[in-house]
Amino acid sequence: MEHLKLIYIFTTVLRHGSMTAAAAHIGMTPSAVSQHIRSLEKVYKVKLINRTTRSLTPTVEGKQLREYGEKLLEIEQQADQVMKQLQQEPEGEVRLTLPSGKAESIRIKNLVRELRRDYPRIRLVLLEDDGITNIAEKNKKFFLMNSLYKEKTK
C-alpha cells in the first residue's frame, strides 16, 4: 500500500510537468516530492525520471509505470465521484394523487412507511382525487416514486 502513495506522487509529477507544481497540487514541499520519487526508484531498482534543470521526462520504465499510475488515479477519481453521489440524499416534496380510498390501502401504507424510513428528507404529500388528472404530471410523480422504490430494493 505504501507504494501506491509513491506511484500517486510519481504520476502527479508527470501530469504537472515539475516537482514544484506537483508539490503544490499534493500539498507537499518539492524536496519531499523529490525524496518520494527517489524512494520509488529504489523500490523498483530502476530510474523512472530523467531530470534536467529545465524538464522532467520519464524513462522507458517510467512511461510504463505511468500507465499504471494513470489507471490508479482514474480509479480514485471514479471512487470519489461515486462516494459523493452516495452522500447526496434525495430531498424535497413529492405529491402523489390517488383515487379515493387507495391512500388507506395496506400496500400504499407500507410504501409510505418505507419511503419515510429510507428517505427521511422527502416530504410525501398524498392527495385523493377521483377526477381526471394530467397524465404527464401523474407519470412524473409515479416515475419518481417508482425510481426511489427500485433504488431502495437494489
Side-chain angles (χ1 to χ4, degrees), residues 52-66:
T52 67
T53 54
R54 295 179 187 239
S55 69
L56 299 173
T57 55
T59 62
V60 171
E61 296 84 357
K63 287 178 184 178
Q64 219 168 8
L65 183 59
R66 182 184 187 168

Side-chain angles (χ1 to χ4, degrees), residues 14-140:
L14 294 179
R15 276 187 171 184
H16 289 272
S18 75
M19 302 258 184
T20 304
H25 179 77
I26 298 171
M28 299 175 80
T29 64
S31 172
V33 168
S34 181
Q35 288 173 0
H36 282 67
I37 298 298
R38 282 195 297 276
S39 294
L40 188 60
E41 290 175 331
K42 285 179 186 175
V43 166
Y44 291 121
K45 297 178 175 79
V46 294
K47 188 173 183 178
L48 297 170
I49 297 177
N50 291 315
R51 300 165 181 88
T52 67
T53 54
R54 295 179 187 239
S55 69
L56 299 173
T57 55
T59 62
V60 171
E61 296 84 357
K63 287 178 184 178
Q64 219 168 8
L65 183 59
R66 182 184 187 168
E67 288 180 30
Y68 291 106
E70 291 292 346
K71 289 176 186 176
L72 286 171
L73 291 179
E74 185 179 320
I75 290 169
E76 178 200 27
Q77 289 170 346
Q78 290 171 354
D80 277 351
Q81 189 176 29
V82 167
M83 292 297 108
K84 286 177 184 174
Q85 288 172 350
L86 291 174
Q87 290 173 0
Q88 298 173 358
E89 186 178 330
E91 63 179 280
E93 184 175 279
V94 175
R95 293 175 170 261
L96 184 62
T97 304
L98 300 167
S100 295
K102 291 294 183 184
E104 295 299 317
S105 76
I106 292 172
R107 185 172 181 179
I108 295 297
K109 284 183 178 183
N110 287 339
L111 284 172
V112 169
R113 189 178 315 111
E114 288 177 28
L115 181 85
R116 287 187 176 146
R117 180 192 67 218
D118 296 342
Y119 302 98
R121 297 176 69 181
I122 288 183
R123 183 170 167 260
L124 182 62
V125 177
L126 294 177
L127 304 169
E128 289 188 20
D129 186 0
D130 290 326
I132 297 174
T133 309
N134 181 335
I135 298 294
E137 280 300 309
K138 187 175 180 180
N139 283 341
K140 286 180 191 173

Side-chain angles (χ1 to χ4, degrees), residues 131-149:
I132 297 174
T133 309
N134 181 335
I135 298 294
E137 280 300 309
K138 187 175 180 180
N139 283 341
K140 286 180 191 173
K141 292 170 190 165
F142 174 77
F143 176 77
L144 176 59
M145 184 79 165
N146 196 30
S147 296
L148 291 173
Y149 181 76

